[in-house]
Amino acid sequence: MPSALTTKQAIDVATEHLKELSGHVFDLLTVSKPITPDAAVNLSKVVSKLSPLLGNLIEFNTVEFLNDKDDFRGLGEWRRQDPGFPDTVFDGITPTPGFEIKAWFPLATEITARFKDSQNHFRDDNTYVCMLAWLPEHIIYGKPYILDVVVVSGASVARARDEHYHNPPDYLVLEPENTAARTRNLQQTNTNGYKLQEVSAAALAKAQELIESWGANGSSYSPTADYQTKLRELMGLLPYRLDTNYAKMDRIVHAELEAFKTRVMNTQVHGMTVREWDRLFRASNKWSAALAKATAAKEKAEEQVDLDSVARAEAQEQTAATQLERSDQTVRQVLADRLGITEGDPEQLLE
């Protein structure tokens, strides 16, 4: 064991241990096996609601996992930052190694976690992103199980984000104002994205002239103060709106993260790929939502005594109900075949 670690060594050693989590079961919370097909179908529609809770617990326990490793004993300690960026840092080394840990439940939604920190934050390449894809051991029940892990440089994610989004004058990425003089909790490191609104051809032509005056690389993003001044000048000429969907990690188009997503969705779990499980549950959830929407529309039309709208809503309600029953029946059959969930003993219901 070395008497000290460099920043890169700490990152490299931790990365190897984090990758070992693939296949690991976290004993954090157990969802019991449903004992009837109907209970299983209902559980498949709500299990994703556990994602925020279990995701947070997984992130927290990953820090404990690192601190249990002999490689770090006596050399420092991984510490959770809440709030703060990144999620965990290793005290005792400068520059401070850190990991932003993201848990992803692939049956719930796209990777909605955001990554907005400026490229300026990663000049020392000492902060990395660790993404852990997880599912319950048996798709809809059991303990959380880590399907796969990817660790990538935070600097590379920030760079890929800016290159993907920034496209003046149509879309601008802007750095935060200089807040170094503020106390730490008020300092800003997040970038933001701005989308161009409708403008006249004359205004657009004037903006293009300004961009061309910046030189051959004027459209290429830079986090420097000089380039940011130019972007703010451009914003003074044209109307922009803040993009609230900016920097979702599913949309950054980072090569390693894209490969990770593809690998996870193609992973076989209980005889089907994650993508196939996702499509199975998504169809049922889609028709559940359609039925609820049609029912709400019918009730509103009845209150307004709008008979034509009532008739249309009833037709939509019937269609959604029929499709929902078909989708749910498919889910029941697949869960019976893959997970052995069939009709249980009635006495079990009272246990």
Side-chain angles (χ1 to χ4, degrees), residues 56-80:
N56 187 266
L57 290 174
I58 288 171
E59 291 167 8
F60 184 85
N61 278 267
T62 299
V63 178
E64 301 302 315
F65 170 81
L66 287 176
N67 278 325
D68 282 342
K69 299 304 175 183
D70 291 337
D71 306 79
F72 302 113
R73 286 186 182 148
L75 302 178
E77 183 177 18
W78 290 97
R79 173 174 55 83
R80 173 85 170 166

mmCIF file with all atom_site columns, all heavy atoms in Angstrom, residues 56-80:
data_model
loop_
_atom_site.group_PDB
_atom_site.id
_atom_site.type_symbol
_atom_site.label_atom_id
_atom_site.label_alt_id
_atom_site.label_comp_id
_atom_site.label_asym_id
_atom_site.label_entity_id
_atom_site.label_seq_id
_atom_site.pdbx_PDB_ins_code
_atom_site.Cartn_x
_atom_site.Cartn_y
_atom_site.Cartn_z
_atom_site.occupancy
_atom_site.B_iso_or_equiv
_atom_site.pdbx_formal_charge
_atom_site.auth_seq_id
_atom_site.auth_comp_id
_atom_site.auth_asym_id
_atom_site.auth_atom_id
_atom_site.pdbx_PDB_model_num
ATOM 1   N N   . ASN A 1 56 ? -31.245 7.493  -4.548 1.00 0.00 ? 56 ASN A N   1
ATOM 2   C CA  . ASN A 1 56 ? -30.515 8.264  -3.552 1.00 0.00 ? 56 ASN A CA  1
ATOM 3   C C   . ASN A 1 56 ? -29.781 7.354  -2.572 1.00 0.00 ? 56 ASN A C   1
ATOM 4   O O   . ASN A 1 56 ? -28.631 7.614  -2.201 1.00 0.00 ? 56 ASN A O   1
ATOM 5   C CB  . ASN A 1 56 ? -31.475 9.186  -2.801 1.00 0.00 ? 56 ASN A CB  1
ATOM 6   C CG  . ASN A 1 56 ? -30.758 10.140 -1.870 1.00 0.00 ? 56 ASN A CG  1
ATOM 7   O OD1 . ASN A 1 56 ? -30.586 9.866  -0.693 1.00 0.00 ? 56 ASN A OD1 1
ATOM 8   N ND2 . ASN A 1 56 ? -30.326 11.267 -2.404 1.00 0.00 ? 56 ASN A ND2 1
ATOM 9   N N   . LEU A 1 57 ? -30.434 6.266  -2.148 1.00 0.00 ? 57 LEU A N   1
ATOM 10  C CA  . LEU A 1 57 ? -29.792 5.325  -1.218 1.00 0.00 ? 57 LEU A CA  1
ATOM 11  C C   . LEU A 1 57 ? -28.596 4.636  -1.872 1.00 0.00 ? 57 LEU A C   1
ATOM 12  O O   . LEU A 1 57 ? -27.567 4.407  -1.225 1.00 0.00 ? 57 LEU A O   1
ATOM 13  C CB  . LEU A 1 57 ? -30.810 4.282  -0.747 1.00 0.00 ? 57 LEU A CB  1
ATOM 14  C CG  . LEU A 1 57 ? -31.913 4.787  0.178  1.00 0.00 ? 57 LEU A CG  1
ATOM 15  C CD1 . LEU A 1 57 ? -32.933 3.674  0.449  1.00 0.00 ? 57 LEU A CD1 1
ATOM 16  C CD2 . LEU A 1 57 ? -31.325 5.291  1.500  1.00 0.00 ? 57 LEU A CD2 1
ATOM 17  N N   . ILE A 1 58 ? -28.728 4.298  -3.143 1.00 0.00 ? 58 ILE A N   1
ATOM 18  C CA  . ILE A 1 58 ? -27.613 3.674  -3.868 1.00 0.00 ? 58 ILE A CA  1
ATOM 19  C C   . ILE A 1 58 ? -26.434 4.626  -3.935 1.00 0.00 ? 58 ILE A C   1
ATOM 20  O O   . ILE A 1 58 ? -25.283 4.246  -3.694 1.00 0.00 ? 58 ILE A O   1
ATOM 21  C CB  . ILE A 1 58 ? -28.062 3.247  -5.281 1.00 0.00 ? 58 ILE A CB  1
ATOM 22  C CG1 . ILE A 1 58 ? -28.992 2.037  -5.199 1.00 0.00 ? 58 ILE A CG1 1
ATOM 23  C CG2 . ILE A 1 58 ? -26.850 2.920  -6.158 1.00 0.00 ? 58 ILE A CG2 1
ATOM 24  C CD1 . ILE A 1 58 ? -29.660 1.683  -6.509 1.00 0.00 ? 58 ILE A CD1 1
ATOM 25  N N   . GLU A 1 59 ? -26.707 5.891  -4.258 1.00 0.00 ? 59 GLU A N   1
ATOM 26  C CA  . GLU A 1 59 ? -25.639 6.886  -4.343 1.00 0.00 ? 59 GLU A CA  1
ATOM 27  C C   . GLU A 1 59 ? -24.940 7.038  -3.002 1.00 0.00 ? 59 GLU A C   1
ATOM 28  O O   . GLU A 1 59 ? -23.706 7.101  -2.923 1.00 0.00 ? 59 GLU A O   1
ATOM 29  C CB  . GLU A 1 59 ? -26.226 8.216  -4.821 1.00 0.00 ? 59 GLU A CB  1
ATOM 30  C CG  . GLU A 1 59 ? -26.698 8.184  -6.267 1.00 0.00 ? 59 GLU A CG  1
ATOM 31  C CD  . GLU A 1 59 ? -27.553 9.381  -6.641 1.00 0.00 ? 59 GLU A CD  1
ATOM 32  O OE1 . GLU A 1 59 ? -27.651 10.312 -5.817 1.00 0.00 ? 59 GLU A OE1 1
ATOM 33  O OE2 . GLU A 1 59 ? -28.126 9.377  -7.750 1.00 0.00 ? 59 GLU A OE2 1
ATOM 34  N N   . PHE A 1 60 ? -25.713 7.077  -1.926 1.00 0.00 ? 60 PHE A N   1
ATOM 35  C CA  . PHE A 1 60 ? -25.142 7.237  -0.589 1.00 0.00 ? 60 PHE A CA  1
ATOM 36  C C   . PHE A 1 60 ? -24.297 6.014  -0.215 1.00 0.00 ? 60 PHE A C   1
ATOM 37  O O   . PHE A 1 60 ? -23.187 6.149  0.316  1.00 0.00 ? 60 PHE A O   1
ATOM 38  C CB  . PHE A 1 60 ? -26.261 7.432  0.433  1.00 0.00 ? 60 PHE A CB  1
ATOM 39  C CG  . PHE A 1 60 ? -25.758 7.695  1.831  1.00 0.00 ? 60 PHE A CG  1
ATOM 40  C CD1 . PHE A 1 60 ? -25.418 8.985  2.228  1.00 0.00 ? 60 PHE A CD1 1
ATOM 41  C CD2 . PHE A 1 60 ? -25.610 6.673  2.750  1.00 0.00 ? 60 PHE A CD2 1
ATOM 42  C CE1 . PHE A 1 60 ? -24.949 9.238  3.501  1.00 0.00 ? 60 PHE A CE1 1
ATOM 43  C CE2 . PHE A 1 60 ? -25.137 6.908  4.029  1.00 0.00 ? 60 PHE A CE2 1
ATOM 44  C CZ  . PHE A 1 60 ? -24.808 8.197  4.408  1.00 0.00 ? 60 PHE A CZ  1
ATOM 45  N N   . ASN A 1 61 ? -24.818 4.820  -0.489 1.00 0.00 ? 61 ASN A N   1
ATOM 46  C CA  . ASN A 1 61 ? -24.102 3.603  -0.103 1.00 0.00 ? 61 ASN A CA  1
ATOM 47  C C   . ASN A 1 61 ? -22.879 3.340  -0.968 1.00 0.00 ? 61 ASN A C   1
ATOM 48  O O   . ASN A 1 61 ? -21.977 2.601  -0.558 1.00 0.00 ? 61 ASN A O   1
ATOM 49  C CB  . ASN A 1 61 ? -25.052 2.397  -0.152 1.00 0.00 ? 61 ASN A CB  1
ATOM 50  C CG  . ASN A 1 61 ? -25.896 2.286  1.104  1.00 0.00 ? 61 ASN A CG  1
ATOM 51  O OD1 . ASN A 1 61 ? -25.535 1.593  2.039  1.00 0.00 ? 61 ASN A OD1 1
ATOM 52  N ND2 . ASN A 1 61 ? -27.013 2.981  1.125  1.00 0.00 ? 61 ASN A ND2 1
ATOM 53  N N   . THR A 1 62 ? -22.831 3.928  -2.150 1.00 0.00 ? 62 THR A N   1
ATOM 54  C CA  . THR A 1 62 ? -21.638 3.801  -2.982 1.00 0.00 ? 62 THR A CA  1
ATOM 55  C C   . THR A 1 62 ? -20.440 4.459  -2.302 1.00 0.00 ? 62 THR A C   1
ATOM 56  O O   . THR A 1 62 ? -19.305 3.968  -2.387 1.00 0.00 ? 62 THR A O   1
ATOM 57  C CB  . THR A 1 62 ? -21.887 4.424  -4.364 1.00 0.00 ? 62 THR A CB  1
ATOM 58  O OG1 . THR A 1 62 ? -22.964 3.726  -5.002 1.00 0.00 ? 62 THR A OG1 1
ATOM 59  C CG2 . THR A 1 62 ? -20.653 4.328  -5.240 1.00 0.00 ? 62 THR A CG2 1
ATOM 60  N N   . VAL A 1 63 ? -20.681 5.560  -1.597 1.00 0.00 ? 63 VAL A N   1
ATOM 61  C CA  . VAL A 1 63 ? -19.614 6.219  -0.843 1.00 0.00 ? 63 VAL A CA  1
ATOM 62  C C   . VAL A 1 63 ? -19.102 5.294  0.266  1.00 0.00 ? 63 VAL A C   1
ATOM 63  O O   . VAL A 1 63 ? -17.892 5.151  0.469  1.00 0.00 ? 63 VAL A O   1
ATOM 64  C CB  . VAL A 1 63 ? -20.119 7.552  -0.242 1.00 0.00 ? 63 VAL A CB  1
ATOM 65  C CG1 . VAL A 1 63 ? -19.024 8.213  0.573  1.00 0.00 ? 63 VAL A CG1 1
ATOM 66  C CG2 . VAL A 1 63 ? -20.574 8.485  -1.355 1.00 0.00 ? 63 VAL A CG2 1
ATOM 67  N N   . GLU A 1 64 ? -20.036 4.654  0.970  1.00 0.00 ? 64 GLU A N   1
ATOM 68  C CA  . GLU A 1 64 ? -19.632 3.706  2.015  1.00 0.00 ? 64 GLU A CA  1
ATOM 69  C C   . GLU A 1 64 ? -18.858 2.537  1.417  1.00 0.00 ? 64 GLU A C   1
ATOM 70  O O   . GLU A 1 64 ? -17.902 2.026  2.026  1.00 0.00 ? 64 GLU A O   1
ATOM 71  C CB  . GLU A 1 64 ? -20.882 3.194  2.751  1.00 0.00 ? 64 GLU A CB  1
ATOM 72  C CG  . GLU A 1 64 ? -21.710 4.288  3.408  1.00 0.00 ? 64 GLU A CG  1
ATOM 73  C CD  . GLU A 1 64 ? -20.889 5.087  4.400  1.00 0.00 ? 64 GLU A CD  1
ATOM 74  O OE1 . GLU A 1 64 ? -20.143 4.478  5.187  1.00 0.00 ? 64 GLU A OE1 1
ATOM 75  O OE2 . GLU A 1 64 ? -20.969 6.330  4.363  1.00 0.00 ? 64 GLU A OE2 1
ATOM 76  N N   . PHE A 1 65 ? -19.268 2.106  0.240  1.00 0.00 ? 65 PHE A N   1
ATOM 77  C CA  . PHE A 1 65 ? -18.595 1.016  -0.458 1.00 0.00 ? 65 PHE A CA  1
ATOM 78  C C   . PHE A 1 65 ? -17.132 1.360  -0.708 1.00 0.00 ? 65 PHE A C   1
ATOM 79  O O   . PHE A 1 65 ? -16.229 0.539  -0.481 1.00 0.00 ? 65 PHE A O   1
ATOM 80  C CB  . PHE A 1 65 ? -19.332 0.742  -1.774 1.00 0.00 ? 65 PHE A CB  1
ATOM 81  C CG  . PHE A 1 65 ? -18.623 -0.187 -2.726 1.00 0.00 ? 65 PHE A CG  1
ATOM 82  C CD1 . PHE A 1 65 ? -18.693 -1.558 -2.561 1.00 0.00 ? 65 PHE A CD1 1
ATOM 83  C CD2 . PHE A 1 65 ? -17.885 0.316  -3.796 1.00 0.00 ? 65 PHE A CD2 1
ATOM 84  C CE1 . PHE A 1 65 ? -18.038 -2.417 -3.445 1.00 0.00 ? 65 PHE A CE1 1
ATOM 85  C CE2 . PHE A 1 65 ? -17.240 -0.530 -4.682 1.00 0.00 ? 65 PHE A CE2 1
ATOM 86  C CZ  . PHE A 1 65 ? -17.316 -1.902 -4.501 1.00 0.00 ? 65 PHE A CZ  1
ATOM 87  N N   . LEU A 1 66 ? -16.859 2.587  -1.155 1.00 0.00 ? 66 LEU A N   1
ATOM 88  C CA  . LEU A 1 66 ? -15.477 3.003  -1.421 1.00 0.00 ? 66 LEU A CA  1
ATOM 89  C C   . LEU A 1 66 ? -14.662 3.076  -0.130 1.00 0.00 ? 66 LEU A C   1
ATOM 90  O O   . LEU A 1 66 ? -13.491 2.680  -0.099 1.00 0.00 ? 66 LEU A O   1
ATOM 91  C CB  . LEU A 1 66 ? -15.465 4.359  -2.128 1.00 0.00 ? 66 LEU A CB  1
ATOM 92  C CG  . LEU A 1 66 ? -15.899 4.374  -3.590 1.00 0.00 ? 66 LEU A CG  1
ATOM 93  C CD1 . LEU A 1 66 ? -15.924 5.804  -4.118 1.00 0.00 ? 66 LEU A CD1 1
ATOM 94  C CD2 . LEU A 1 66 ? -14.991 3.502  -4.454 1.00 0.00 ? 66 LEU A CD2 1
ATOM 95  N N   . ASN A 1 67 ? -15.274 3.575  0.928  1.00 0.00 ? 67 ASN A N   1
ATOM 96  C CA  . ASN A 1 67 ? -14.544 3.723  2.193  1.00 0.00 ? 67 ASN A CA  1
ATOM 97  C C   . ASN A 1 67 ? -14.197 2.375  2.831  1.00 0.00 ? 67 ASN A C   1
ATOM 98  O O   . ASN A 1 67 ? -13.315 2.304  3.686  1.00 0.00 ? 67 ASN A O   1
ATOM 99  C CB  . ASN A 1 67 ? -15.347 4.573  3.175  1.00 0.00 ? 67 ASN A CB  1
ATOM 100 C CG  . ASN A 1 67 ? -15.163 6.056  2.925  1.00 0.00 ? 67 ASN A CG  1
ATOM 101 O OD1 . ASN A 1 67 ? -14.080 6.493  2.545  1.00 0.00 ? 67 ASN A OD1 1
ATOM 102 N ND2 . ASN A 1 67 ? -16.215 6.831  3.126  1.00 0.00 ? 67 ASN A ND2 1
ATOM 103 N N   . ASP A 1 68 ? -14.879 1.314  2.420  1.00 0.00 ? 68 ASP A N   1
ATOM 104 C CA  . ASP A 1 68 ? -14.586 -0.018 2.950  1.00 0.00 ? 68 ASP A CA  1
ATOM 105 C C   . ASP A 1 68 ? -13.377 -0.669 2.268  1.00 0.00 ? 68 ASP A C   1
ATOM 106 O O   . ASP A 1 68 ? -12.912 -1.732 2.709  1.00 0.00 ? 68 ASP A O   1
ATOM 107 C CB  . ASP A 1 68 ? -15.797 -0.945 2.775  1.00 0.00 ? 68 ASP A CB  1
ATOM 108 C CG  . ASP A 1 68 ? -16.872 -0.679 3.811  1.00 0.00 ? 68 ASP A CG  1
ATOM 109 O OD1 . ASP A 1 68 ? -16.558 -0.054 4.847  1.00 0.00 ? 68 ASP A OD1 1
ATOM 110 O OD2 . ASP A 1 68 ? -18.030 -1.082 3.587  1.00 0.00 ? 68 ASP A OD2 1
ATOM 111 N N   . LYS A 1 69 ? -12.855 -0.043 1.230  1.00 0.00 ? 69 LYS A N   1
ATOM 112 C CA  . LYS A 1 69 ? -11.755 -0.646 0.481  1.00 0.00 ? 69 LYS A CA  1
ATOM 113 C C   . LYS A 1 69 ? -10.406 -0.367 1.149  1.00 0.00 ? 69 LYS A C   1
ATOM 114 O O   . LYS A 1 69 ? -10.117 0.755  1.574  1.00 0.00 ? 69 LYS A O   1
ATOM 115 C CB  . LYS A 1 69 ? -11.737 -0.112 -0.956 1.00 0.00 ? 69 LYS A CB  1
ATOM 116 C CG  . LYS A 1 69 ? -13.006 -0.432 -1.737 1.00 0.00 ? 69 LYS A CG  1
ATOM 117 C CD  . LYS A 1 69 ? -13.279 -1.928 -1.749 1.00 0.00 ? 69 LYS A CD  1
ATOM 118 C CE  . LYS A 1 69 ? -14.588 -2.266 -2.413 1.00 0.00 ? 69 LYS A CE  1
ATOM 119 N NZ  . LYS A 1 69 ? -14.884 -3.733 -2.345 1.00 0.00 ? 69 LYS A NZ  1
ATOM 120 N N   . ASP A 1 70 ? -9.584  -1.414 1.217  1.00 0.00 ? 70 ASP A N   1
ATOM 121 C CA  . ASP A 1 70 ? -8.281  -1.302 1.873  1.00 0.00 ? 70 ASP A CA  1
ATOM 122 C C   . ASP A 1 70 ? -7.383  -0.264 1.218  1.00 0.00 ? 70 ASP A C   1
ATOM 123 O O   . ASP A 1 70 ? -6.525  0.330  1.882  1.00 0.00 ? 70 ASP A O   1
ATOM 124 C CB  . ASP A 1 70 ? -7.566  -2.660 1.868  1.00 0.00 ? 70 ASP A CB  1
ATOM 125 C CG  . ASP A 1 70 ? -8.246  -3.679 2.772  1.00 0.00 ? 70 ASP A CG  1
ATOM 126 O OD1 . ASP A 1 70 ? -8.970  -3.246 3.702  1.00 0.00 ? 70 ASP A OD1 1
ATOM 127 O OD2 . ASP A 1 70 ? -8.070  -4.889 2.540  1.00 0.00 ? 70 ASP A OD2 1
ATOM 128 N N   . ASP A 1 71 ? -7.562  -0.052 -0.090 1.00 0.00 ? 71 ASP A N   1
ATOM 129 C CA  . ASP A 1 71 ? -6.688  0.874  -0.823 1.00 0.00 ? 71 ASP A CA  1
ATOM 130 C C   . ASP A 1 71 ? -6.682  2.278  -0.229 1.00 0.00 ? 71 ASP A C   1
ATOM 131 O O   . ASP A 1 71 ? -5.714  3.019  -0.405 1.00 0.00 ? 71 ASP A O   1
ATOM 132 C CB  . ASP A 1 71 ? -7.142  0.974  -2.284 1.00 0.00 ? 71 ASP A CB  1
ATOM 133 C CG  . ASP A 1 71 ? -7.226  -0.374 -2.952 1.00 0.00 ? 71 ASP A CG  1
ATOM 134 O OD1 . ASP A 1 71 ? -8.237  -1.068 -2.713 1.00 0.00 ? 71 ASP A OD1 1
ATOM 135 O OD2 . ASP A 1 71 ? -6.305  -0.737 -3.693 1.00 0.00 ? 71 ASP A OD2 1
ATOM 136 N N   . PHE A 1 72 ? -7.780  2.658  0.459  1.00 0.00 ? 72 PHE A N   1
ATOM 137 C CA  . PHE A 1 72 ? -7.907  4.032  0.948  1.00 0.00 ? 72 PHE A CA  1
ATOM 138 C C   . PHE A 1 72 ? -7.701  4.169  2.453  1.00 0.00 ? 72 PHE A C   1
ATOM 139 O O   . PHE A 1 72 ? -7.624  5.288  2.957  1.00 0.00 ? 72 PHE A O   1
ATOM 140 C CB  . PHE A 1 72 ? -9.287  4.582  0.567  1.00 0.00 ? 72 PHE A CB  1
ATOM 141 C CG  . PHE A 1 72 ? -9.558  4.554  -0.907 1.00 0.00 ? 72 PHE A CG  1
ATOM 142 C CD1 . PHE A 1 72 ? -10.539 3.729  -1.432 1.00 0.00 ? 72 PHE A CD1 1
ATOM 143 C CD2 . PHE A 1 72 ? -8.828  5.346  -1.779 1.00 0.00 ? 72 PHE A CD2 1
ATOM 144 C CE1 . PHE A 1 72 ? -10.788 3.692  -2.794 1.00 0.00 ? 72 PHE A CE1 1
ATOM 145 C CE2 . PHE A 1 72 ? -9.059  5.323  -3.142 1.00 0.00 ? 72 PHE A CE2 1
ATOM 146 C CZ  . PHE A 1 72 ? -10.045 4.486  -3.659 1.00 0.00 ? 72 PHE A CZ  1
ATOM 147 N N   . ARG A 1 73 ? -7.600  3.054  3.144  1.00 0.00 ? 73 ARG A N   1
ATOM 148 C CA  . ARG A 1 73 ? -7.483  3.116  4.601  1.00 0.00 ? 73 ARG A CA  1
ATOM 149 C C   . ARG A 1 73 ? -6.172  3.762  5.021  1.00 0.00 ? 73 ARG A C   1
ATOM 150 O O   . ARG A 1 73 ? -5.097  3.402  4.549  1.00 0.00 ? 73 ARG A O   1
ATOM 151 C CB  . ARG A 1 73 ? -7.605  1.719  5.206  1.00 0.00 ? 73 ARG A CB  1
ATOM 152 C CG  . ARG A 1 73 ? -9.043  1.226  5.161  1.00 0.00 ? 73 ARG A CG  1
ATOM 153 C CD  . ARG A 1 73 ? -9.243  -0.081 5.867  1.00 0.00 ? 73 ARG A CD  1
ATOM 154 N NE  . ARG A 1 73 ? -10.636 -0.504 5.723  1.00 0.00 ? 73 ARG A NE  1
ATOM 155 C CZ  . ARG A 1 73 ? -11.028 -1.755 5.650  1.00 0.00 ? 73 ARG A CZ  1
ATOM 156 N NH1 . ARG A 1 73 ? -10.128 -2.719 5.699  1.00 0.00 ? 73 ARG A NH1 1
ATOM 157 N NH2 . ARG A 1 73 ? -12.311 -2.050 5.545  1.00 0.00 ? 73 ARG A NH2 1
ATOM 158 N N   . GLY A 1 74 ? -6.274  4.727  5.909  1.00 0.00 ? 74 GLY A N   1
ATOM 159 C CA  . GLY A 1 74 ? -5.102  5.428  6.412  1.00 0.00 ? 74 GLY A CA  1
ATOM 160 C C   . GLY A 1 74 ? -4.599  6.514  5.487  1.00 0.00 ? 74 GLY A C   1
ATOM 161 O O   . GLY A 1 74 ? -3.652  7.225  5.832  1.00 0.00 ? 74 GLY A O   1
ATOM 162 N N   . LEU A 1 75 ? -5.204  6.653  4.296  1.00 0.00 ? 75 LEU A N   1
ATOM 163 C CA  . LEU A 1 75 ? -4.745  7.647  3.324  1.00 0.00 ? 75 LEU A CA  1
ATOM 164 C C   . LEU A 1 75 ? -5.722  8.796  3.156  1.00 0.00 ? 75 LEU A C   1
ATOM 165 O O   . LEU A 1 75 ? -5.379  9.830  2.582  1.00 0.00 ? 75 LEU A O   1
ATOM 166 C CB  . LEU A 1 75 ? -4.526  6.975  1.965  1.00 0.00 ? 75 LEU A CB  1
ATOM 167 C CG  . LEU A 1 75 ? -3.522  5.819  1.939  1.00 0.00 ? 75 LEU A CG  1
ATOM 168 C CD1 . LEU A 1 75 ? -3.448  5.217  0.548  1.00 0.00 ? 75 LEU A CD1 1
ATOM 169 C CD2 . LEU A 1 75 ? -2.148  6.283  2.393  1.00 0.00 ? 75 LEU A CD2 1
ATOM 170 N N   . GLY A 1 76 ? -6.918  8.605  3.644  1.00 0.00 ? 76 GLY A N   1
ATOM 171 C CA  . GLY A 1 76 ? -7.952  9.622  3.488  1.00 0.00 ? 76 GLY A CA  1
ATOM 172 C C   . GLY A 1 76 ? -9.318  8.976  3.542  1.00 0.00 ? 76 GLY A C   1
ATOM 173 O O   . GLY A 1 76 ? -9.453  7.782  3.829  1.00 0.00 ? 76 GLY A O   1
ATOM 174 N N   . GLU A 1 77 ? -10.337 9.743  3.269  1.00 0.00 ? 77 GLU A N   1
ATOM 175 C CA  . GLU A 1 77 ? -11.699 9.228  3.355  1.00 0.00 ? 77 GLU A CA  1
ATOM 176 C C   . GLU A 1 77 ? -12.578 9.864  2.288  1.00 0.00 ? 77 GLU A C   1
ATOM 177 O O   . GLU A 1 77 ? -12.475 11.055 1.999  1.00 0.00 ? 77 GLU A O   1
ATOM 178 C CB  . GLU A 1 77 ? -12.283 9.530  4.734  1.00 0.00 ? 77 GLU A CB  1
ATOM 179 C CG  . GLU A 1 77 ? -13.679 8.957  4.951  1.00 0.00 ? 77 GLU A CG  1
ATOM 180 C CD  . GLU A 1 77 ? -14.196 9.222  6.343  1.00 0.00 ? 77 GLU A CD  1
ATOM 181 O OE1 . GLU A 1 77 ? -13.641 10.110 7.015  1.00 0.00 ? 77 GLU A OE1 1
ATOM 182 O OE2 . GLU A 1 77 ? -15.158 8.555  6.755  1.00 0.00 ? 77 GLU A OE2 1
ATOM 183 N N   . TRP A 1 78 ? -13.425 9.026  1.693  1.00 0.00 ? 78 TRP A N   1
ATOM 184 C CA  . TRP A 1 78 ? -14.427 9.533  0.770  1.00 0.00 ? 78 TRP A CA  1
ATOM 185 C C   . TRP A 1 78 ? -15.565 10.133 1.576  1.00 0.00 ? 78 TRP A C   1
ATOM 186 O O   . TRP A 1 78 ? -16.078 9.505  2.500  1.00 0.00 ? 78 TRP A O   1
ATOM 187 C CB  . TRP A 1 78 ? -14.942 8.419  -0.141 1.00 0.00 ? 78 TRP A CB  1
ATOM 188 C CG  . TRP A 1 78 ? -13.912 7.960  -1.127 1.00 0.00 ? 78 TRP A CG  1
ATOM 189 C CD1 . TRP A 1 78 ? -13.077 6.884  -1.009 1.00 0.00 ? 78 TRP A CD1 1
ATOM 190 C CD2 . TRP A 1 78 ? -13.583 8.588  -2.370 1.00 0.00 ? 78 TRP A CD2 1
ATOM 191 N NE1 . TRP A 1 78 ? -12.248 6.797  -2.098 1.00 0.00 ? 78 TRP A NE1 1
ATOM 192 C CE2 . TRP A 1 78 ? -12.538 7.826  -2.960 1.00 0.00 ? 78 TRP A CE2 1
ATOM 193 C CE3 . TRP A 1 78 ? -14.070 9.698  -3.052 1.00 0.00 ? 78 TRP A CE3 1
ATOM 194 C CZ2 . TRP A 1 78 ? -11.972 8.160  -4.181 1.00 0.00 ? 78 TRP A CZ2 1
ATOM 195 C CZ3 . TRP A 1 78 ? -13.507 10.034 -4.279 1.00 0.00 ? 78 TRP A CZ3 1
ATOM 196 C CH2 . TRP A 1 78 ? -12.479 9.266  -4.832 1.00 0.00 ? 78 TRP A CH2 1
ATOM 197 N N   . ARG A 1 79 ? -15.953 11.343 1.225  1.00 0.00 ? 79 ARG A N   1
ATOM 198 C CA  . ARG A 1 79 ? -16.972 12.063 1.987  1.00 0.00 ? 79 ARG A CA  1
ATOM 199 C C   . ARG A 1 79 ? -18.099 12.508 1.070  1.00 0.00 ? 79 ARG A C   1
ATOM 200 O O   . ARG A 1 79 ? -17.882 13.052 0.008  1.00 0.00 ? 79 ARG A O   1
ATOM 201 C CB  . ARG A 1 79 ? -16.342 13.279 2.680  1.00 0.00 ? 79 ARG A CB  1
ATOM 202 C CG  . ARG A 1 79 ? -17.337 14.206 3.377  1.00 0.00 ? 79 ARG A CG  1
ATOM 203 C CD  . ARG A 1 79 ? -16.602 15.288 4.146  1.00 0.00 ? 79 ARG A CD  1
ATOM 204 N NE  . ARG A 1 79 ? -15.682 16.049 3.307  1.00 0.00 ? 79 ARG A NE  1
ATOM 205 C CZ  . ARG A 1 79 ? -16.063 17.081 2.526  1.00 0.00 ? 79 ARG A CZ  1
ATOM 206 N NH1 . ARG A 1 79 ? -17.336 17.451 2.488  1.00 0.00 ? 79 ARG A NH1 1
ATOM 207 N NH2 . ARG A 1 79 ? -15.160 17.731 1.794  1.00 0.00 ? 79 ARG A NH2 1
ATOM 208 N N   . ARG A 1 80 ? -19.326 12.244 1.514  1.00 0.00 ? 80 ARG A N   1
ATOM 209 C CA  . ARG A 1 80 ? -20.528 12.649 0.769  1.00 0.00 ? 80 ARG A CA  1
ATOM 210 C C   . ARG A 1 80 ? -20.759 14.153 0.942  1.00 0.00 ? 80 ARG A C   1
ATOM 211 O O   . ARG A 1 80 ? -20.672 14.676 2.047  1.00 0.00 ? 80 ARG A O   1
ATOM 212 C CB  . ARG A 1 80 ? -21.719 11.867 1.312  1.00 0.00 ? 80 ARG A CB  1
ATOM 213 C CG  . ARG A 1 80 ? -23.067 12.285 0.760  1.00 0.00 ? 80 ARG A CG  1
ATOM 214 C CD  . ARG A 1 80 ? -23.376 11.619 -0.527 1.00 0.00 ? 80 ARG A CD  1
ATOM 215 N NE  . ARG A 1 80 ? -24.764 11.834 -0.936 1.00 0.00 ? 80 ARG A NE  1
ATOM 216 C CZ  . ARG A 1 80 ? -25.239 11.587 -2.131 1.00 0.00 ? 80 ARG A CZ  1
ATOM 217 N NH1 . ARG A 1 80 ? -24.429 11.104 -3.051 1.00 0.00 ? 80 ARG A NH1 1
ATOM 218 N NH2 . ARG A 1 80 ? -26.493 11.798 -2.433 1.00 0.00 ? 80 ARG A NH2 1
#
